[in-house]
Each structure stands twice: as structure tokens, then as C-alpha cells.
Amino acid sequence: MKKILALVLALALIATLGITSAFAADEGFVDGKFTETRHITVEIYNRNNDGGTDPTNNVWTEYLKQGMLERYNVEVEYVSVGRWTETDDIAQLLADGQAPDVSYTYGYNTIISYANMVDANGNPGVIDLAPYLEEYKDYTQNIVTLLGGEDNLYYDKDPATGAVWMIEGVRADTSRITTFIRKDWLDKLGLALPTTEEEFYNALVAFRDNAEQLLGADADKMIPYTTSTDIGWRNDLLCVSKVADDISDETLFVYGYDDRHLLYPGYKEGVRVLNKWYNEGLIWKDFGLYTDSEQEDNNMKAGYVGAFMHNWDYPFRNGDDCINLNLQRNVGEDAMFVPIDCFQDDAGVTRKFMGAAVGSDRKIFLPSTNKEPLASLLYINFISDPEVIKYLQTGKEGENFNLTADGAYEILPATGEWVKNSGNNIDYTMTCNGLYLGEATGATTALSYPGIPADIVITANEFGKNNGRYPLHYNVGTIESETEVGTSLTTKRDELFTKAVTASVEDFDSVYDGLLDEYMNLGGEEIINERIEKLEAVYGIKYEK
């Protein structure tokens, strides 16, 4: 099915592109500005959030449009793409020849797949940015500075062909996943904050066994620990704690195709623990029935949940409608999820395998239907300007923030036109994920969640990157086998996780191993082998499985 889809898209591109591959400098660009107004379209996520604004037309887009027109004489038009359907949406827009001039996605292989879709003249479906980055390097300095150097501008440069199909965004804050637990429940039961897996397990058992004391008439709704169908993300800290601390960077690369760390040696034992918890009634029994977060969030807000793992700021997000503030309103002032860091590996370290600051966030690319590559590159440079980022992240004083005496931005719960559709306006700061405010960043982070105590925010952020390990970046070019499998491996992985967690304890190994074999036969084994081959070909490293 995926190969058929790729063929259909490729044929559609052949019919719609007709783009020449030759590069030519833009003669209408003089002294850093176009002599005649140019027009580009830019992708913007639509999250369809309640109380939000039209993502294509609001105060933030007006600021960006005006800035681009004044600085470069470029008109900008925004194109809405569904946040949760973005891969399919962009694929369809590409096939129709209507993809935004500036597009972005989280999937590296998604872009490589587009680049491999060539027209009748052999031109790829994505513009090779290498000649533009060289010709106009004086106009990409904001991007270079944001990414931390010119090397990172060429982070994905193909070592064989020299092609650059995308520009990486940067994670200004690399904090990732944190574990949260109900401190008020611990206090009622006379338990301390867990510092080990055993203590965490004992707390879950205590929640289950004391449901009537903790929930009264709602005791049957007790959920000691909640998760979702995205087992790999939502339980990462537990699962990677079973990976040996001395694992090599080469092994992390060879088995690092899956961003949920499925193939890391030892990972299975973490899933085994989840299976044990599920069979003991410690995990939300209905987690496999829901693919979105609404019901799970409602359970947390209502006060039925004891603990969970998620993005480091998850219980603080969404302003007045966040989980913690709803919990306090529904249960009591003392009700609060607080961060803990308790899953230790064989070296006694609460290890996190982190995405590097560059290479683990969104990737920006220009489809070949783009007739204004220079104007598009200038847009990417514009949104990478630290002053532009600061405005988009902080907004208008009195509406979005108050400036404190020490220079921090105290974020306010904005309303009306000043609402941000995404945290820190991440959908507009597409090259920057996380606060990027210089010396004011740390203090601002603590004040970025109205109503949440600053110490809890700071601790959650610190725990999300505490003992973080950033695997070495091996740039071996495109792993062709990865681009061929599409989402089939992701679907199989999630099936594996859900079925393995919910299997009986006796059937766990057969279910897990059987589905893992299917995963490997679908393309996992080919990916591992190709990674080993490329590692030796480019770096001379011989790796034995």
C-alpha cells in the first residue's frame, strides 16, 4: 500500500512539476531586498483548539507578514495543515502540486521520500538547498546562529551527493519526558516521593489498595497509573532504564531507527514491567481504546489518576484549563501532580536518551513547486531572528506578559486575539522549539505557566533532561530502507506495545517476540543491516550485531 501511494504521488509530481534542476542566482534581489514584490506560501499547523484563533490570520501572522514585506519585499500567505494529520495532508498537497512553498514536518524520512519522487526530467520533488545556502550565505546568518554554527546548517547534507534537502530546527530546551505523581495521595498514605522503581511500584500498589480512602464513592474509578496507546513515548523513562548504561554510540545508531527506542538492547524488559503492572490492575485498563488524549486528560482532571509519564510540562499546559488547575478545582487545593525522577539503570543513573538540540525537531523543506526559493529561504532566516522569536514567544506586554524587575517575562493567560494557538507560538517559530530569550530564559520558564508554582515547573524541566545522553550524530546519508516502509513499522510497533502490555504474564514473551519478528520482517532487519553498512562505508566503523 505504501509503495503504491509513493508511486501515485510520484506520478502526480511528474505531471505537475516540470521544474528545471539548474540553479541561477536571483537577479531581482538587490542589496538584500527584492526590487519587485514576491509572494510565498507558508505551512502553519491547525490544532483546532478551543478558544484559539485562525492560524492563518491573526496578530502573529500580521506581524510576520509586515516584517517580511518591510525587510525583504516579500508577501507571505499562510496555508493551514492539520497538526495531527500533517503527513497525509502534505502528501496530498504535494500530489496536487499545491504544497506550501515553505513546508515542515517532524519526519526526516518523509522529506527524503518526497526528494526521491522525481519528474520526467529527473528533478526531485524537493529543492536541493545546497546551492542557495552557498550563494546567499550572507543572508542565512540568523539560522546559522540559532543552530549553533554553519556545520548544523548542513546537518543533513548527503555525504555522497552533497544535497541538502532540509534545514533543521533547534530545540532550545531539550527537556523531554518527566514522571508525575499525586503528592496529596502520597501524603494521605504517609508515603515519600519515590526515588526508585520499587518505591514507585509500591506507591501504585498503595493507591490501588486504598482506593476507598483516596476516592470515596468513586473508588471504582481508581487509576493508579495511566498511559496511552503511544506506549513508547509515554513510558520511555521506565523502558530505557533497562538499557545498559555503557551502551555504545554505534549501537545506539544501529538500533536507533525508531524514535521510541524499541530496538535498544534491554528495552523489552521495561515493557515486561508494564505488562506486570497491567495484570495487577495498576494501569488504566481502557488505555488501548483511545487514540487521543481527551478521555485520559479528563480522568486526570477529575482526580482519578495517581501517576503518569508525559512531556515535561504536560500537566501545566493550556493555561487555566491545564490538568493541575482543573485537579485543584475538582478535588482541592492540595491536589497536585508533582515531578519525580526515579527510574535508575544498571549504573544507578536515571538515564534519558535525548534528541540532540539539532536534529530532533522539525525539518523545513521547499517542495519543487516552489517558484520563489530565495524568498522562502529569507523567510526561514527572518523567523530565526532572535528579536522575531522573542516577540512571537512573549507577545504584547500587558496582554501576554508582565516584565518582572529581574527581566523575566511573567506569562499571562491571554484572551481574544492575543491567544497563542501553540505553546510559545511554536507553530510560527518553526526553527525554534523552546524559549529562546537569552539570560531571561530560565526565569521566564518558571513563570510561563500561570497558576503553577515556579518550583514545580523548574523541577519538572530539570528532571526532563537530568542525566540526559545525546547519542553521537552519524551522518551517513539517506538510509533507503527507512524511506520504503512509510508508517508501516510505526503501526506495527504500536500494535506490539499495546498487545504485549495487555497480554497475560504467561503469554508476554510469545506475544512480544512474535510481533517483533513481524516488525523486523516488515523492514526493521533491512534498516539495521543498511545502517551497519553505511556506518562502515562512511566512517570505517565495523559493527557486529
Side-chain angles (χ1 to χ4, degrees):
M1 288 290 291
K2 296 298 178 184
K3 290 182 178 179
I4 292 173
L5 175 61
L7 178 60
V8 171
L9 291 176
L11 292 173
L13 282 166
I14 289 172
T16 59
L17 291 181
I19 307 299
T20 60
S21 58
F23 168 79
D26 195 316
E27 295 180 357
F29 186 67
V30 179
D31 295 330
K33 194 171 186 176
F34 289 104
T35 56
E36 295 184 4
T37 304
R38 304 296 178 88
H39 180 90
I40 62 171
T41 56
V42 176
E43 175 187 353
I44 189 68
Y45 284 152
N46 187 346
R47 297 174 183 266
N48 294 307
N49 47 326
D50 293 338
T53 61
D54 179 352
T56 68
N57 183 24
N58 53 48
V59 294
W60 314 109
T61 59
E62 285 305 308
Y63 167 81
L64 291 167
K65 289 178 181 179
Q66 182 179 348
M68 280 295 294
L69 199 58
E70 292 178 352
R71 188 175 301 188
Y72 298 119
N73 197 17
V74 173
E75 289 181 343
V76 177
E77 175 186 351
Y78 290 93
V79 178
S80 175
V81 171
R83 169 62 185 96
W84 316 117
T85 57
E86 54 113 356
T87 300
D88 292 338
D89 290 355
I90 284 291
Q92 188 60 56
L93 288 168
L94 277 163
D96 294 341
Q98 297 177 357
D101 295 323
V102 180
S103 294
Y104 64 127
T105 180
Y106 283 90
Y108 170 89
N109 290 321
T110 300
I111 300 173
I112 297 300
S113 296
Y114 300 155
N116 288 339
M117 296 177 189
V118 297
D119 65 12
N121 297 316
N123 298 311
V126 175
I127 290 178
D128 177 7
L129 293 170
Y132 294 94
L133 295 177
E134 175 61 29
E135 175 72 19
Y136 298 105
K137 58 185 176 183
D138 291 341
Y139 300 97
T140 60
Q141 292 309 300
N142 288 331
I143 310 174
V144 171
T145 300
L146 179 64
L147 294 180
E150 190 170 289
D151 286 348
N152 287 331
L153 184 63
Y154 293 93
Y155 187 88
D156 295 305
K157 183 177 180 178
D158 190 296
T161 66
V164 179
W165 301 119
M166 68 199 81
I167 292 176
E168 294 280 352
V170 66
R171 284 190 175 271
D173 182 356
T174 57
S175 194
R176 195 164 175 262
I177 300 169
T178 295
T179 308
F180 295 92
I181 196 165
R182 285 280 296 276
K183 187 174 187 305
D184 56 316
W185 281 8
L186 293 174
D187 291 342
K188 286 182 180 179
L189 300 177
L191 300 174
L193 292 174
T195 59
T196 65
E197 179 188 321
E198 182 181 10
E199 291 176 358
F200 185 78
Y201 167 76
N202 290 339
L204 300 186
V205 171
F207 294 163
R208 180 197 64 192
D209 294 346
N210 293 278
E212 289 190 8
Q213 178 183 346
L214 298 173
L215 289 176
D218 290 325
D220 63 329
K221 297 177 181 176
M222 163 62 72
I223 302 172
Y225 181 80
T226 191
T227 189
S228 73
T229 52
D230 192 358
I231 294 291
W233 181 265
R234 294 290 306 282
N235 302 275
D236 182 75
L237 304 182
L238 165 64
C239 293
V240 300
S241 72
K242 308 305 179 183
V243 177
D245 197 66
D246 63 355
I247 188 170
S248 68
D249 282 308
E250 292 87 352
T251 298
L252 294 177
F253 171 75
V254 168
Y255 294 101
Y257 160 73
D258 182 77
D259 65 354
R260 269 42 175 178
H261 305 140
L262 166 66
L263 300 178
Y264 282 10
Y267 188 95
K268 173 184 175 182
E269 296 311 305
V271 184
R272 188 190 301 278
V273 172
L274 291 171
N275 170 263
K276 175 178 181 290
W277 290 358
Y278 182 84
N279 282 285
E280 292 182 6
L282 301 179
I283 294 179
W284 183 31
K285 68 181 187 307
D286 294 332
F287 81 87
L289 302 178
Y290 298 92
T291 56
D292 58 32
S293 64
E294 182 176 2
Q295 184 57 52
E296 190 184 11
D297 287 357
N298 288 339
N299 290 336
M300 289 189 262
K301 292 175 181 178
Y304 305 146
V305 174
F308 67 96
M309 289 180 218
H310 215 311
N311 297 334
W312 76 266
D313 63 345
Y314 195 77
F316 320 139
R317 291 180 175 181
N318 299 323
D320 194 52
D321 192 38
C322 74
I323 289 169
N324 265 6
L325 294 184
N326 271 290
L327 184 59
Q328 287 183 308
R329 286 191 291 268
N330 294 329
V331 177
E333 195 64 29
D334 292 335
M336 182 78 68
F337 283 105
V338 299
I340 57 175
D341 192 22
C342 62
F343 295 101
Q344 301 172 359
D345 64 15
D346 59 343
V349 176
T350 55
R351 178 69 67 211
K352 286 90 178 174
F353 289 97
M354 313 292 287
V358 176
S360 62
D361 201 63
R362 294 157 296 179
K363 294 89 172 62
I364 304 171
F365 66 100
L366 310 185
S368 290
T369 46
N370 183 323
K371 300 293 195 292
E372 296 288 352
L374 174 56
S376 301
L377 183 63
L378 294 173
Y379 177 85
I380 301 170
N381 191 66
F382 178 71
I383 62 168
S384 302
D385 185 323
E387 290 303 312
V388 172
I389 294 173
K390 182 171 72 173
Y391 179 80
L392 292 172
Q393 291 188 340
T394 59
K396 181 180 179 182
E397 187 169 9
E399 294 283 355
N400 297 103
F401 71 89
N402 287 327
L403 199 61
T404 67
D406 60 356
Y409 295 82
E410 181 183 12
I411 303 303
L412 303 174
T415 58
E417 64 178 354
W418 292 101
V419 166
K420 299 172 187 173
N421 291 324
S422 55
N424 298 322
N425 260 335
I426 184 178
D427 295 341
Y428 297 110
T429 64
M430 63 175 75
T431 53
C432 181
N433 184 344
L435 286 176
Y436 185 72
L437 305 174
E439 294 181 357
T441 299
T444 300
T445 298
L447 300 175
S448 295
Y449 303 89
I452 306 299
D455 62 322
I456 290 180
V457 175
I458 292 171
T459 302
N461 182 269
E462 290 177 348
F463 283 171
K465 52 193 172 188
N466 189 33
N467 295 315
R469 178 171 173 181
Y470 300 86
L472 193 63
H473 173 55
Y474 292 104
N475 185 8
V476 299
T478 302
I479 304 293
E480 296 296 342
S481 55
E482 294 181 9
T483 67
E484 296 174 357
V485 295
T487 60
S488 60
L489 287 185
T490 300
T491 301
K492 179 57 65 176
R493 176 203 68 200
D494 291 344
E495 177 191 357
L496 184 163
F497 282 147
T498 299
K499 289 184 175 179
V501 169
T502 57
S504 67
V505 172
E506 295 75 19
D507 291 340
F508 172 78
D509 283 303
S510 61
V511 171
Y512 189 101
D513 294 345
L515 289 168
L516 184 61
D517 285 343
E518 293 181 19
Y519 179 97
M520 300 302 279
N521 291 333
L522 271 174
E525 191 70 37
E526 289 182 45
I527 290 171
I528 291 171
N529 292 337
E530 186 176 352
R531 282 182 168 233
I532 292 173
E533 292 171 4
K534 294 284 179 69
L535 192 63
E536 180 173 357
V538 178
Y539 291 92
I541 298 173
K542 293 186 177 182
Y543 184 88
E544 298 292 335
K545 285 197 287 186

